[in-house]
Amino acid sequence: MDFQKQLTLHRRELHKIPELSRDLPKTKAYVKSVLETLDCQVFEVMESGLYAYFDRGKATTAAYRADMDALPVTEVNQVEYASVHSGRMHACGHDGHTAMVLALAQYVDTVKDLPSNVLCIFQPAEETTGGAKEICETGILEAYHVDRIFGIHMWPFIEAGKICGKAGPMMPRSSEITIEVFGRTSHATAPENGIDALFIGCKYIEQVYALHRERSRPNPTPEERTIIQICKMESGTARNVISGYSALLGTMRAFSDEDFAGLVAILEETAEKLSQEYGCQIKAAHSEGYPPVFNSRELYRQVLPAVKEHLPYEEMETPAMISEDYSFYGLRVPSLFFFLGTGTGIALHSNNFDFDEQVLSQGLELYKTLLFHQ
């Protein structure tokens, strides 16, 4: 089988039909149509997820995960495989992720003597509700005696075809921040009758940033770095009316529960302080987010010699600051997550995201190497 041809075919067919969250009927149908030609057990999970189990009569199973959902982005690329779904696009490489695990399944189908059984997981809702958590809660990792799991993410900022990874912290815990300031409207000519939620919102941002700087460790290691960033503010109704309400939206990142709790404390203490100072109400809320992605140090040590021998590999000096729901798998079994370089420099989630499918062959080679080296 020409696996490069298969990788390109899968990626382009999936790229044409991007779908969102867990509403993936066409994507699911395509993946299922490939899996059903193979000698494996195919099961449906969640509304649109799939997994394929290759029984090789072994006591344990190695799992490989692909995420299938796309983004609400309008593609600008003028290519023959561009999205045919208006306002939706595979702008984060999930079409490539799925193509690699599909091709891996096709390869596994040709190899009967393996050191373990193989479970290929095709997961919905990575970009939205954290489908990995729901997959894990079904119990399939335990049911199939999975003792390790692997995943790959396309990465634009390293050389095309190069594999990167590291032991330990790979990505931080992430959380969405929502701050609401409830003031009181008044005409701009009588500000003494109002409580200016716009002004208070600005003070909130200023003081949160200042407190974060004050409490951050001096010269932190990459794994001690934390982020609080307010990225959107909505306030006011007219140019001559004091704002009675402000909404601040942002994000937090931390690698440890202790550091995450410290960030939450900053949000809540600032809200309480300004509420008392200005006689308003401030609600500081945050999502629980995804846990940190943590690469098993022992599993990494076991496979690294083989990976370096067979692939162009570079060890990451610092973790990435993006987040991934792949982290939920690592809470259940030893896991490793790698970056695969596209070399384009086109950021994830961009409306012109694209890559040369030749790089996918290196991802497939990584998966094949991991099949035989435990």
Side-chain angles (χ1 to χ4, degrees), residues 64-68 94 97-99 101 121-124 150 367:
Y64 298 80
R65 174 269 204 164
D67 39 9
M68 300 190 295
H94 293 192
H97 304 167
T98 301
V101 179
I121 300 172
F122 298 90
Q123 175 207 310
F150 304 104
Y367 281 154

Side-chain angles (χ1 to χ4, degrees), residues 45-87:
V45 61
M46 299 171 59
E47 291 89 338
S48 52
L50 294 164
Y51 59 91
Y53 178 64
F54 294 84
D55 188 352
R56 293 296 180 262
K58 299 300 191 293
T60 60
T61 299
Y64 298 80
R65 174 269 204 164
D67 39 9
M68 300 190 295
D69 56 325
L71 289 159
V73 172
T74 299
E75 182 164 18
V76 299
N77 294 318
Q78 300 297 311
V79 291
E80 63 179 14
Y81 52 88
S83 169
V84 298
H85 292 168
S86 178

Side-chain angles (χ1 to χ4, degrees), residues 73 126 186 191 199 225 248 269 321:
V73 172
E126 191 280 325
S186 70
F199 173 78
R225 184 185 175 198
L248 315 179
E269 289 172 22
M321 292 307 288

Side-chain angles (χ1 to χ4, degrees), residues 127-323:
E127 297 285 0
T128 53
T129 57
K133 183 174 187 289
E134 209 166 324
I135 292 280
C136 290
E137 289 173 347
T138 66
I140 65 170
L141 301 182
E142 294 80 9
Y144 291 97
H145 307 291
V146 172
D147 67 348
R148 59 204 176 280
I149 186 167
F150 304 104
I152 294 174
H153 203 300
M154 312 302 294
W155 197 246
F157 304 111
I158 54 178
E159 181 183 332
K162 180 171 284 187
I163 306 293
C164 287
K166 67 184 294 294
M170 181 79 170
M171 297 179 183
R173 178 175 178 174
S174 68
S175 174
E176 295 178 345
I177 302 168
T178 303
I179 311 299
E180 294 182 286
V181 182
F182 299 89
R184 185 169 64 241
T185 60
S186 70
H187 197 273
T189 58
E192 67 278 5
N193 294 329
I195 299 175
D196 192 341
L198 175 57
F199 173 78
I200 298 167
C202 293
K203 295 292 287 184
Y204 185 90
I205 297 171
E206 179 183 38
Q207 293 189 20
V208 161
Y209 286 178
L211 197 55
H212 181 232
R213 287 193 299 271
E214 177 186 321
R215 294 186 181 178
S216 294
R217 294 181 179 90
N219 304 313
T221 66
E223 290 81 7
E224 293 172 336
R225 184 185 175 198
T226 59
I227 291 174
I228 294 183
Q229 195 69 43
I230 305 297
C231 299
K232 183 177 182 180
M233 181 175 183
E234 297 177 347
S235 188
T237 57
R239 68 175 65 241
N240 60 349
V241 177
I242 297 292
S243 172
Y245 176 78
S246 291
L248 315 179
L249 307 179
T251 187
M252 299 190 298
R253 306 289 161 98
F255 287 95
S256 71
D257 290 343
E258 178 184 359
D259 286 343
F260 184 79
L263 298 181
V264 173
I266 289 172
L267 297 180
E268 293 177 346
E269 289 172 22
T270 305
E272 183 177 358
K273 177 177 178 291
L274 291 178
S275 294
Q276 294 177 357
E277 183 174 350
Y278 291 100
C280 63
Q281 181 185 14
I282 302 178
K283 293 182 179 179
H286 67 279
S287 68
E288 287 303 310
Y290 300 157
V293 174
F294 187 90
N295 278 345
S296 164
R297 298 185 190 277
E298 177 61 20
L299 186 56
Y300 186 81
R301 183 191 64 77
Q302 291 172 9
V303 305
L304 186 59
V307 172
K308 284 185 172 181
E309 179 183 351
H310 293 92
L311 293 150
Y313 184 80
E314 183 176 308
E315 184 128 357
M316 294 171 60
E317 294 183 5
T318 61
M321 292 307 288
I322 65 170
S323 62

